[in-house]
Amino acid sequence: MPVRWSRYNPSYLEPEVKTEAYQKPLEELTEEEKEQMELKAVRPIKAAPPTLSSSVFSDPMISKFTNMMMKSGNKVLARSLMSQTLEAIKRKQLEKYHKAPENEKETIECNPYVIFHQALKNCQPIIGLSSITRGGKTYQVPVPLTDNRKRFLAMKWMITECRENKHRRTMMPEKLSQELLLAFNNEGPIIKKKHVLHKMAESNRAYAHFRWW
Amino acid sequence: MASEKPLGSCPAYSYHTLLWDTLRLICTTTAVQRKNAGASGPEKYTEAFIKKQIEEFNLGKRHLANMMGEDPETFTQEDIDRAIAYLFPSGLFDKQARPLMKHPTEVFPEQRKIQWGEDGRPFHFLFYTGKQSYYSLMHVSILSVINNASSQSNNICDILNRNLAGSRWLTKIELEEMLVEKMSDDDYSRFIRLLEKLVALPCADLEEKYIQKFSKEVPAQLQKVLIEPLQYDERGVAFSTGEGRRKTASATAVVYDNGTGKITVNGIDILHYFPVLQDREQLLFPFQFLGRIGKHDMVCTVSGGGRSAQAGAIRLASAKALRSFVTEKEVEFMRQAGLLTVDPRVKERKKPGQEGPRRKFTWKKR
């Protein structure tokens, strides 16, 4: 039975790295934020992990994606692949931008981070399936998903898609940038997979009452 | 027995018998070291037995004080510990295996008296539930919630903030000790949820006292770390030092004022020492957070660990050094950003019967 424990005492809180959160004047804070501040003043705080930093270039979603792409702890390679992907996205978008006529130039999004976030958001499923065994038969029951789970599924699908369905000679950054651009425009195999999942959930709607949580 | 002789008769005392008596007391006390509270089942230690143990302990304490040449009246537990460590030096690694002399109430776990009378009928009405103290506690708490809910219009107090800052609920072990009864994790979490519900309601003063029984003060302000003042070197430039550790790597950093943002590690520029971008980002993190990137110079030495551990160690060292340059409020912000905590994560040890810390050997059917 895997036991998940942490070297930190459970009373330790997560660190807040962004400088904007500390520059807000006292009046603008809501009730919850004031309570949070008081709590933080008393409780100890965990150390910031090496992937997190207050610079504008560090993005928690990008770090998560990089970690998921990483194999056998080779963070250097994963990070370089990620940066090459973002570069490839930028190049493709710039090409499109320079070829497009004047009126369409504003609609083309050139920021690779925006494209990345929007693409992953488009890939997130809304509802998931979970197998529940009743009376010997296993049913696929539609089940709501938490935010973390949605993000994880989107990233996982993206990575598995890029690793398997490509020609032997294509490099990962190229394929990834292709898939991300397709997902950004709500096309491509990953969006299709999401729609298939939604259809399955809709067809199994009858079993929704099997869920007890 | 030497224990029955009055203390005044010094010449008749032999230290040998005295030592043996204390030894006997110590040995019995170490043998019954137990951590769990409320041993279930019939009483292992009767009240008479515990009383006798307490008498013997007190007597032994006076003998010990006499032996050490100190006043028996003012002989505290710390003095006992020191005396025992002196008379019976032990090289054993486990502190709990060494000779120990403590008051019997600390040694013998608290026990419940027999819960039923002579006719076999239990005293408590919830005895047959199996967890009588837990359920009676839940009943009492629920009653206070209901009373509270019914008398809502009476007092609206803002003691809501009290609980968040500076106090915590009792842990499961502490609660078990209080009730002298074991409980499961689910029971404990249920009770805590009930307490939080009670706190969330507009509470009356009576409930406040009841709640205080189950909450503890968090030791106020774990910080209070001394921030060292700035030192000045020959040229008159202000500097300060800091030390940091991460996962076997240890680093010392010296941060100079009026600098250009040059950072040197072990005599080598960071661009050459840390070819990976992530490590350089970590080094610059404290400076970027405070907005002082081009204003300080840094010279560090680091040894041990790997590439990422060295970067983390230098980050901690530089954050500690920067505390002297910065206001108290900014130090608090740095602490809340996680820059000043030592990262406790280390490599987990390999266990016997497994290939690694978590990985088990390949399961073979035959």
Side-chain angles (χ1 to χ4, degrees), chain B residues 191-208:
Chain B
F191 179 61
I192 294 292
R193 264 182 282 153
L194 187 59
L195 279 178
E196 302 210 329
K197 192 173 165 182
L198 186 57
V199 164
L201 295 169
C203 49
D205 281 320
L206 290 166
E207 266 76 289
E208 173 78 31

Side-chain angles (χ1 to χ4, degrees), chain A residues 3 5 7-8 15-17 19 22 35 39-43 45-48 50 52 54-55 75 79, chain B residues 164-166 221-222 246 277-278 281-282 285 288-289 307 315 333 335-338 341 343-344 348 358:
Chain A
V3 177
W5 53 275
R7 291 282 310 191
Y8 290 108
E16 172 61 59
V17 174
T19 34
Y22 297 111
E35 282 176 20
L39 191 63
K40 281 205 158 187
V42 199
R43 294 279 193 84
I45 313 251
K46 297 187 194 176
L52 201 61
S54 66
S55 80
K75 179 83 116 210
R79 188 115 179 201
Chain B
L164 269 183
Q221 285 323 315
L222 338 105
R246 169 104 212 263
L277 176 66
Q278 181 183 299
E281 218 175 17
Q282 285 297 290
F285 182 7
Q288 203 270 339
F289 184 77
R307 148 206 126 212
R315 181 186 94 181
F333 288 156
R335 183 191 78 95
Q336 286 188 12
T341 0
D343 205 328
E348 201 175 319
R358 299 282 167 120

Side-chain angles (χ1 to χ4, degrees), chain B residues 305-318:
Chain B
R307 148 206 126 212
S308 191
Q310 285 189 340
I314 302 178
R315 181 186 94 181
L316 183 61
S318 57

